Amino acid sequence: AQFAYVSNGGGSNNVSAYRVGENGALAPVPGSPFAVGNLPSSVAVDPTGRFAYVVNEAGNNISAFAIDKNGALAPIPGSPFPTGTDPHEVAVDASGNFAYVANAVDNSLSGYRIGGSGGLTAIPGSPFPAGGFPRAVAIDPTGKFVYVANQVTNNVSAYRIGEDGERKPVAWSKSVAGCGDLSGGRIPKKKII
């Protein structure tokens, strides 16, 4: 089955869950909506469809859930997990091994290793510096790079992901605010389109 999840902030502080029908129609999952932290703003599901992660802006944390066969959400032990201040968006890499959160007030990016049961463990060195007021985070399909959109500085921070998920600053580019190399190497300057 395919499922869709929507974060409901503005005082609701929950996530609506839907089963996606063959024709694209949405049907509420039994038990939906599911309670999360304060002011949820973003939801990401791992590529296997086993876990869902919800960023709670006002709670400065991320709620982690196991997804059952009917699409219902059950909190993972240890959840919620701490983030930086004012987290805005979460992304999970294509391997399902790492999750990253853009923290607006801290001007940082938190990185986590995803455990077998869906729990999150901070990557050594996390959080990583970003530009001014990062609001969005994206991971390329190969799982080699992470990009963070910075609202106040009007640019993008780019990072190379190492085998352990770590990121480190690297060379600057004219079109990119700051680059980070999680593997410790250097990225040659190039225009990113």
Side-chain angles (χ1 to χ4, degrees):
Q2 298 292 316
F3 304 104
Y5 299 91
V6 178
S7 60
N8 304 309
S12 297
N13 296 333
N14 57 34
V15 169
S16 296
Y18 302 93
R19 177 184 291 273
V20 181
E22 290 182 16
N23 62 355
L26 300 177
V29 166
S32 176
F34 299 92
V36 294
N38 196 2
L39 195 59
S41 63
S42 171
V43 181
V45 175
D46 84 304
T48 67
R50 296 174 53 211
F51 308 116
Y53 300 95
V54 181
V55 166
N56 303 303
E57 275 187 51
N60 298 326
N61 57 35
I62 181 170
S63 298
F65 298 93
I67 302 173
D68 76 12
K69 63 180 181 178
N70 297 315
L73 301 178
I76 289 173
S79 178
F81 299 91
T83 63
T85 305
D86 196 22
H88 276 261
E89 188 170 31
V90 58
V92 177
D93 79 325
S95 71
N97 291 324
F98 303 107
Y100 299 97
V101 175
N103 304 306
V105 172
D106 287 352
N107 298 330
S108 69
L109 182 65
S110 294
Y112 306 88
R113 178 175 289 283
I114 300 174
S117 63
L120 301 177
T121 303
I123 294 169
S126 176
F128 306 97
F133 209 76
R135 294 285 305 238
V137 59
I139 304 169
D140 86 296
T142 68
K144 293 180 181 177
F145 304 101
V146 177
Y147 301 96
V148 178
N150 304 304
Q151 182 177 351
V152 171
T153 49
N154 297 318
N155 52 29
V156 176
S157 298
Y159 309 85
R160 183 189 309 272
I161 301 175
E163 291 181 15
D164 60 357
E166 184 185 352
R167 291 180 276 241
K168 296 176 184 170
V170 296
W172 288 68
S173 152
K174 291 181 180 178
S175 61
V176 178
C179 295
D181 185 346
L182 306 182
S183 65
R186 303 297 275 178
I187 298 174
K189 291 183 180 180
K190 60 183 178 180
K191 183 174 181 181
I192 296 178
I193 299 173

